[in-house]
């Protein structure tokens, strides 16, 4: 189902296996964005790079954005079941929505935000 979102095409069993191990963080947003929206995005990306440097470098943990005001972003949001601004972790068929925590803590408690991201990504790495 989510195979089209992986970069590269799987041509053998090993690559298929790697694709399912990949954790993609998606931040869906609109064109018009407030400071909190921008902070949610910036800190999520920074936290993933900081917490998972080896996986980030290997491309097994990624961060991407999608604009809900654009056709591509709209189509992706529909496929992932997203209807508005959302921070979503995706690994294969697993999805973890971090939107509420992101908007609660990205600005007011960045350490807690980072801790929550770590907990959720660690769950997906198991």
């Amino acid at each position: 189902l989510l195979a089209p979102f992986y970069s590269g095409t799987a041509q053998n069993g090993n690559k298929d296996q790697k694709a399912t191990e990949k954790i993609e963080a998606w931040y869906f947003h609109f064109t018009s964005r407030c400071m909190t929206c921008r902070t949610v995005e910036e800190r999520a990306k920074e936290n993933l790079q900081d917490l998972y440097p080896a996986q980030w470098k290997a491309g097994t943990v990624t961060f991407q954005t999608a604009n809900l005001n654009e056709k591509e972003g709209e189509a992706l949001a529909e496929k992932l079941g997203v209807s508005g601004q959302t921070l979503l972790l995706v690994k294969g068929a697993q999805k973890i929505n971090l939107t509420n925590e992101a908007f609660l803590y990205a600005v007011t408690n960045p350490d807690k935000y980072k801790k929550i991201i770590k907990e959720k990504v660690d769950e997906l790495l198991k």
Side-chain angles (χ1 to χ4, degrees), residues 112-125:
K112 185 163 187 168
Y113 181 43
K114 186 174 187 174
K115 184 180 173 200
I116 291 167
I117 287 175
K118 180 169 175 28
E119 286 171 6
K120 300 304 180 184
V121 173
D122 284 353
E123 281 178 31
L124 292 173
L125 287 171

Side-chain angles (χ1 to χ4, degrees), residues 1-2 6 19-23 80 90-95:
L1 228 185
L2 295 177
Y6 295 114
T20 59
E21 291 173 8
K22 186 174 185 177
I23 296 171
L80 291 175
V90 179
K91 179 184 177 189
Q94 294 176 278
K95 292 190 276 186

Side-chain angles (χ1 to χ4, degrees), residues 26-60:
W26 284 96
Y27 181 61
F28 292 88
H29 62 83
F30 294 102
T31 302
S32 178
R33 302 166 63 190
C34 68
M35 186 270 297
T36 302
C37 303
R38 292 177 192 278
T39 304
V40 164
E41 176 184 334
E42 289 164 14
R43 292 220 166 113
K45 185 176 180 180
E46 287 168 7
N47 289 337
L48 289 167
Q49 288 174 315
D50 185 42
L51 292 165
Y52 305 99
Q55 294 94 329
W56 184 268
K57 190 175 181 184
T60 55

Side-chain angles (χ1 to χ4, degrees), residues 98-114:
L98 293 175
T99 308
N100 291 340
E101 294 92 337
F103 279 87
L104 274 173
Y105 302 118
V107 174
T108 61
N109 193 341
D111 292 337
K112 185 163 187 168
Y113 181 43
K114 186 174 187 174

Side-chain angles (χ1 to χ4, degrees), residues 61-75:
V61 170
T62 64
F63 180 85
Q64 298 170 77
T65 61
N67 187 331
L68 294 163
N69 292 122
E70 295 173 0
K71 282 190 180 192
E72 266 183 31
E74 211 176 283

